[in-house]
């Protein structure tokens, strides 16, 4: 488990061990807004020489002010895109050790369905909007999943993005209080939100489609009619090149 808060992480580890009887649960403390910390975390894991069978990119953020990290990155982008890209890329050797059957699952959001892919990665143009930046970030995650699937075809590693549904979590109540208040009786529980993530970790890769976007255990569309969110391979490659340059990979 990779957690930002040591105390909350240790409490979660203790609960998992208690409820499952599995003592082989470990915590690594890492603030995903810091690429230096992400690299150190990966390096520590890599030194163990373990094979990695499943990486779940679940950390996410919706910050409504344009905050710049100590490394010069817009905060939402740092957590939702740069950290995801850096961790996944640097863990590919361990994932390939876990092949065949290894996979990367990135928890995106249905909020990306109305957002196009664009090169303004850190929202430097126009008035900053946290909701819009979050949706852009999640669109990038889905696009990155497509790119990884294409680049690593035949490697024995599958790449999947997914929408957990709208889940009643502390992050939702903090980032979208009005949304949470309006739909509180319709939001999913954390267990319901995690269902498809767990399903994607346990299904044989040959029964899944690498690069696809999943919701409620089914492959679903990445683009809605009349939202004009489709993009060319040239734009996707350009965006990935920019992310690679920013992350220095």
């Amino acid at each position: 488990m990779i957690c930002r808060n040591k105390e909350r992480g240790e409490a979660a580890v203790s609960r998992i061990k208690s409820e499952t009887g599995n003592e082989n649960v470990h915590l690594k403390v890492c603030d995903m807004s810091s690429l230096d910390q992400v690299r150190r975390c990966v390096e520590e894991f890599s030194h163990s020489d373990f094979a990695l069978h499943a990486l779940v990119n679940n950390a996410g953020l919706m910050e409504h002010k344009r905050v710049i990290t100590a490394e010069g990155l817009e905060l939402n982008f740092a957590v939702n895109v740069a950290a995801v890209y850096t961790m996944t890329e640097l863990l590919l050797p361990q994932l390939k050790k876990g092949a065949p059957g290894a996979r990367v699952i990135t928890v995106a959001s249905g909020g990306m369905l109305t957002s196009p892919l664009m090169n303004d990665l850190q929202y430097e143009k126009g008035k900053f909007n946290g909701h819009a930046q979050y949706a852009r970030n999640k669109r990038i995650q889905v696009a990155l999943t497509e790119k990884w699937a294409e680049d690593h075809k035949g490697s024995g590693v599958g790449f999947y993005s997914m929408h957990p549904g709208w889940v009643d979590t502390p992050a939702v109540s903090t980032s979208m209080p009005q949304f949470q208040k309006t739909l509180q009786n319709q939001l999913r529980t954390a267990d319901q939100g995690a269902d498809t993530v767990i399903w994607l970790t346990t299904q044989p890769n040959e029964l899944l489609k690498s690069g696809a976007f999943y919701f409620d255990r089914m492959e679903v569309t990445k683009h809605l009619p009349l939202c004009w969110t489709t993009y060319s391979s040239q734009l996707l490659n350009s965006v990935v090149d920019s992310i690679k340059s920013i992350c220095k990979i």
Side-chain angles (χ1 to χ4, degrees):
M1 293 172 51
I2 300 174
C3 300
R4 178 180 55 173
N5 183 288
K6 184 174 185 288
E7 289 72 25
R8 290 177 61 193
E10 288 175 341
V13 168
S14 178
R15 180 180 173 189
I16 292 169
K17 287 181 177 180
S18 175
E19 293 187 8
T20 66
N22 181 6
E23 291 297 316
N24 193 26
V25 184
H26 307 280
L27 172 68
K28 288 189 177 294
V29 177
C30 176
D31 183 343
M32 299 292 282
S33 70
S34 167
L35 294 187
D36 282 345
Q37 288 196 35
V38 171
R39 292 187 187 98
R40 282 199 297 270
C41 182
V42 172
E43 185 177 4
E44 289 173 7
F45 181 82
S46 300
H47 282 166
S48 67
D49 206 35
F50 287 130
L52 180 59
H53 299 94
L55 169 64
V56 179
N57 291 314
N58 182 55
L61 178 73
M62 184 190 295
E63 169 59 52
H64 293 288
K65 295 180 180 179
R66 192 172 189 275
V67 178
I68 303 300
T69 70
E71 296 168 332
L73 303 181
E74 189 277 316
L75 183 56
N76 292 285
F77 171 82
V79 174
N80 300 330
V81 178
V84 169
Y85 181 79
T86 299
M87 181 160 285
T88 303
E89 285 286 325
L90 295 183
L91 283 173
L92 279 170
Q94 277 64 45
L95 284 159
K96 289 179 179 178
K97 285 182 182 180
R103 73 279 314 275
V104 176
I105 300 154
T106 300
V107 180
S109 170
M112 65 91 196
L113 286 169
T114 58
S115 181
L117 187 67
M118 58 181 65
N119 264 314
D120 185 15
L121 301 177
Q122 303 198 62
Y123 218 121
E124 296 174 289
K125 301 175 183 177
K127 184 179 179 181
F128 185 81
N129 182 299
H131 287 102
Q133 178 66 334
Y134 181 82
R136 293 181 186 185
N137 291 170
K138 293 300 175 177
R139 170 60 71 185
I140 292 172
Q141 290 180 347
V142 171
L144 283 173
T145 299
E146 294 176 349
K147 180 65 173 170
W148 282 320
E150 177 186 335
D151 289 351
H152 301 284
K153 188 181 298 182
S155 67
V157 182
F159 298 86
Y160 315 106
S161 58
M162 59 81 66
H163 173 37
W166 303 110
V167 184
D168 193 3
T169 64
V172 169
S173 60
T174 300
S175 300
M176 300 188 292
Q178 188 57 48
F179 176 85
Q180 193 269 348
K181 182 178 179 181
T182 302
L183 297 177
Q184 59 183 335
N185 295 325
Q186 301 173 47
L187 297 177
R188 297 184 172 197
T189 65
D191 285 352
Q192 291 170 330
D195 178 77
T196 296
V197 177
I198 296 168
W199 180 79
L200 285 167
T201 66
T202 57
Q203 293 300 295
N205 274 342
E206 57 267 26
L207 298 183
L208 302 170
K209 182 179 177 182
S210 190
F213 180 57
Y214 285 85
F215 175 64
D216 284 350
R217 302 190 179 193
M218 296 177 60
E219 181 186 353
V220 294
T221 184
K222 303 168 188 174
H223 305 281
L224 296 178
L226 303 179
C227 285
W228 315 109
T229 58
T230 56
Y231 41 83
S232 65
S233 58
Q234 289 85 355
L235 176 57
L236 174 55
N237 289 335
S238 174
V239 168
V240 172
D241 285 345
S242 295
I243 296 170
K244 183 176 181 178
S245 176
I246 290 168
C247 297
K248 298 179 173 61
I249 292 177

